[in-house]
Amino acid sequence: MKYTPRYIIGATLVCFQAMSAPAQDIPGKEQVVEIIHRVNEYWQSLHKPQEWAFWDVAAYHTGNMAAYEATGNAAYRDYSEAWASHNQWKGAKSDDRSTWKYHYGESDEHVLFGDWQICFQTYIDLFHLDPDSAKIRRAMEVIEYQMSTPNEDYWWWADGLYMVMPVMTKLYHVTGNTQYLEKLLEYFSYAKALMYDDDEHLFYRDAKYVYPKHKSVNGKKDFWARGDGWVFAGLAKVLQDLPADYQHRAEFETVYRDMAGAIMRSQQAEGYWTRSILDPEHAPGPETSGTAFFTYGLFWGVNNGYLDPATYTVPAIKGWQYLATFALQPDGRVGYVQPIGERAIPGQTVDANSTANFGVGAFLLAATELLDYVERRQDSVFAFSYFKGNGEDGLHLAYSYDGFKWAALNNDQSFLKPELSDDKLMRDPCIIRGGDGRFHMVWTVSWTDRGIGYASSDDLIHWSEQQYIPVMAHEPDARNCWAPEITYDPDRGIYMIYWATTIRGRFPETQIEADNGYNHRMYYVTTSDFKTFSETKLFYDPGFNVIDATIARDGNRWVMFLKDETREPAQKNLKVAYAESMEGPYSKASEPITGDYWAEGPTAGRVGGEWVVYFDKYIMHRYGAIASRDLVNWREVSEKLAMPDGIRHGTVFKISREELARLEGIQR
């Protein structure tokens, strides 16, 4: 089957030949988000969440949760929560272990069959959003029982690798139990030996289809697109979660990269993959579920540095063009999904009305990974504002392409000299891009002043007149205003400025003489124009001396990273708190997320699908970083970090390549 893809631009239908789909034909962020909402809202409008937890529905929910993470649409999370609750956070529901089976079956006794375990992926994701052990109790019970048996042949069909491999890595992150990784390798090795073709770098669906016992209509090896799609997407999910230092990580990476090459070479000119990958005549024409999984896996590899962008971006984009311009129907229905089965069937009808829950889930995975690609491409450079020394010479800037290797701009000379206060300092410079597109900066102007500094810029080079904001002038006993930050709420068009202040006589329960008697709490004001400001209010009192707060949005919630400044007994570490609105109230601070060292000045951003928190290891006179995918389990990544010499407390943010080029072009 041939087709001519169509893009809708405004109200105009633009046609072009699929074979010429160049890399620059990349949709904008708004278009991708609109498609995600159109597809998901169409599906959810027709299907209530109260459905069983078997693989087909559960596979949809893996895509739905990706859509929630990408868009922050709370309705998507609520839909999966309702589904999980309906199923009592279980897969197959039998509690009699003596009856548990792991061959194919749709009854409640087939607890150990992977098609009943894919649901655990979504349950674990929901657990991380709102920790409650009841959500993952069954997942842990089932998988830990499975691991206690001597059997290794649990994943005897290709689909099972997507269904359960990510469950193993997710549970490892929850528990820290390395047996999940040991059994992951054992089960994967069995599946690979059974189904993987070392010459073609593809998986047969199961042992029945291994060549030459089974052949396509033309006598060729018959690799089922959706089956290999399950494996390829599952490997991407596993690599995303495997520890960087896992000793067998290379074994998974090698299979993933080899599969990527085979998948790229077998793509049809129109962007899709046929149901029998290496014999297009076996079951000709487009198929969406396999194509969507392949597109997701290719974009993931490009986004996360596993695949060469020069080689794999075009195939990924061509796959998306098929999905968005042919498979996707105007009302949001995803068509050309092969019905439930286990092979490519000659003569089977697959058309625009052929849709299925698992196909929609695969489509959403591809769309959300494309969205990540688009966002990286549009704002592909990290910037870091910082100060040096005592802040006398003002604002310094650095940049990075990967978030870890940083280079100073302007020969590490100042971009803006401080003019405010008698001290004329510019410490702790915090920069964000506001809703108006301008860069807004606040900073500490003095060790003792009761106000902060503010300036704005269109390009980080030319700055407005510096403005003194007397945020604590009404408090005669305020000793300071330190480390101010700005956070923007785009839903309300409101900026919040917040900082740490010690007010003599306040909070006596945590007052000590050490650290010069400082006993900070966080305070804040809001503004929409940086001309008029709300009344200063207490922002956060965690019951200890707190400083250096910074806030980021995570979907529909707000996450605050903060320093516990307690001196006796010494804390001097970073913690996390959460709120449903920008101004709070924020939760109790978490346990420390940093290690056995003193840390301050956190700033956070998303790097390669993870949260990365940068901070000053100020006693050691160097910067550090920690990373997490779920804001719960953190690992040290300081060894990957290379920062300019002498860098002090600042902020990470994103700029375009064009903005970077202008910054690189100045010499002062």
Side-chain angles (χ1 to χ4, degrees), residues 89 117 193 202 247 334 361 409 436 462 467 606 629 641 661:
W89 303 90
Q117 296 175 354
L202 294 168
Q247 61 178 330
V334 175
L409 288 160
D436 54 3
H462 306 93
Q467 175 184 344
R606 300 279 290 185
R629 294 194 177 278
L641 204 58

Side-chain angles (χ1 to χ4, degrees), residues 221-292:
K221 297 177 179 179
D222 185 16
F223 297 100
W224 183 42
R226 185 155 72 231
D228 275 282
W230 289 123
V231 179
F232 192 54
L235 285 168
K237 285 174 165 279
V238 164
L239 289 172
Q240 181 168 289
D241 287 340
L242 276 178
D245 58 355
Y246 176 53
Q247 61 178 330
H248 298 289
R249 185 182 182 92
E251 298 176 39
F252 294 89
E253 291 181 1
T254 298
V255 176
Y256 168 78
R257 290 193 175 96
D258 287 346
M259 285 191 74
I263 289 164
M264 178 187 66
R265 291 188 293 273
S266 60
Q267 185 179 30
Q268 300 302 297
E270 297 86 354
Y272 62 80
W273 282 264
T274 53
R275 282 162 277 176
S276 181
I277 299 174
L278 299 186
D279 189 353
E281 296 178 357
H282 180 85
E287 200 284 316
T288 294
S289 61
T291 296

Side-chain angles (χ1 to χ4, degrees), residues 181-375:
L181 301 185
E182 295 165 5
K183 289 296 183 178
L184 167 70
L185 178 65
E186 180 181 330
Y187 301 160
F188 177 71
S189 298
Y190 171 86
K192 183 171 177 284
L194 182 70
M195 295 178 283
Y196 188 63
D197 189 302
D198 289 313
D199 296 323
E200 306 298 345
H201 301 302
L202 294 168
F203 281 77
Y204 297 102
R205 193 275 178 176
D206 60 55
K208 298 192 302 291
Y209 297 101
V210 174
Y211 182 88
K213 180 167 58 177
H214 170 83
K215 301 176 183 178
S216 72
V217 294
N218 291 314
K220 298 180 179 180
K221 297 177 179 179
D222 185 16
F223 297 100
W224 183 42
R226 185 155 72 231
D228 275 282
W230 289 123
V231 179
F232 192 54
L235 285 168
K237 285 174 165 279
V238 164
L239 289 172
Q240 181 168 289
D241 287 340
L242 276 178
D245 58 355
Y246 176 53
Q247 61 178 330
H248 298 289
R249 185 182 182 92
E251 298 176 39
F252 294 89
E253 291 181 1
T254 298
V255 176
Y256 168 78
R257 290 193 175 96
D258 287 346
M259 285 191 74
I263 289 164
M264 178 187 66
R265 291 188 293 273
S266 60
Q267 185 179 30
Q268 300 302 297
E270 297 86 354
Y272 62 80
W273 282 264
T274 53
R275 282 162 277 176
S276 181
I277 299 174
L278 299 186
D279 189 353
E281 296 178 357
H282 180 85
E287 200 284 316
T288 294
S289 61
T291 296
F293 280 130
F294 290 154
T295 302
Y296 159 73
L298 292 174
F299 270 124
W300 183 88
V302 170
N303 287 340
N304 291 277
Y306 288 88
L307 299 178
D308 175 25
T311 303
Y312 288 96
T313 300
V314 170
I317 291 170
K318 288 175 65 179
W320 173 254
Q321 288 172 336
Y322 157 76
L323 293 170
T325 68
F326 192 75
L328 177 60
Q329 306 304 304
D331 60 0
R333 184 174 69 257
V334 175
Y336 296 90
V337 178
Q338 182 189 359
I340 290 176
E342 63 177 43
R343 63 188 176 92
I345 303 174
Q348 183 181 43
T349 298
V350 176
D351 58 24
N353 294 313
S354 304
T355 193
N357 41 19
F358 55 86
V360 175
F363 185 101
L364 291 171
L365 286 174
T368 54
E369 202 60 42
L370 167 65
L371 182 61
D372 188 18
Y373 173 82
V374 169
E375 289 176 336

Side-chain angles (χ1 to χ4, degrees), residues 99-173:
T99 67
W100 287 4
K101 302 177 178 69
Y102 66 93
H103 61 267
Y104 183 88
E106 300 180 9
S107 71
D108 277 338
E109 286 71 41
H110 289 82
V111 174
L112 303 180
F113 178 41
D115 282 5
W116 281 112
Q117 296 175 354
I118 178 178
C119 58
F120 297 151
Q121 293 187 41
T122 295
Y123 300 170
I124 297 166
D125 291 344
L126 291 168
F127 165 81
H128 284 310
L129 294 173
D130 182 20
D132 179 349
S133 61
K135 297 178 180 180
I136 60 171
R137 185 176 298 122
R138 178 65 166 192
M140 293 177 62
E141 175 195 8
V142 169
I143 302 301
E144 289 183 1
Y145 172 81
Q146 182 170 305
M147 294 190 302
S148 74
T149 72
N151 305 328
E152 63 179 7
D153 57 343
Y154 286 103
W155 303 341
W156 49 265
W157 77 119
D159 317 30
L161 300 183
Y162 180 86
M163 309 302 170
V164 196
M165 284 200 304
V167 175
M168 307 292 277
T169 51
K170 288 174 183 288
L171 285 175
Y172 164 75
H173 278 291

Side-chain angles (χ1 to χ4, degrees), residues 389-499:
N390 193 31
E392 304 96 332
D393 71 337
L395 171 66
H396 291 252
L397 296 173
Y399 74 96
S400 172
Y401 290 108
D402 66 359
F404 292 102
K405 297 179 178 61
W406 294 84
L409 288 160
N410 194 29
N411 293 322
D412 210 9
Q413 300 301 303
S414 173
F415 280 82
L416 181 66
K417 303 288 187 181
E419 300 173 353
L420 303 177
S421 84
D422 292 338
D423 292 341
K424 291 185 170 55
L425 300 181
M426 190 172 282
R427 297 174 59 89
D428 320 313
C430 170
I431 297 178
I432 68 166
R433 192 192 300 269
D436 54 3
R438 289 178 62 80
F439 296 101
H440 298 273
M441 178 173 67
V442 291
W443 67 91
T444 303
V445 300
S446 166
W447 287 94
T448 57
D449 269 29
R450 289 181 286 161
I452 61 175
Y454 166 77
S456 63
S457 173
D458 288 321
D459 57 10
L460 299 171
I461 300 169
H462 306 93
W463 288 86
S464 68
E465 180 180 355
Q466 296 177 35
Q467 175 184 344
Y468 182 79
I469 308 175
V471 290
M472 297 301 286
H474 62 290
E475 289 282 1
D477 291 322
R479 295 182 59 187
N480 60 337
C481 291
W482 286 357
E485 296 257 340
I486 316 176
T487 297
Y488 177 64
D489 184 347
D491 297 335
R492 297 182 295 148
I494 297 295
Y495 299 87
M496 180 172 69
I497 305 174
Y498 46 103
W499 63 93

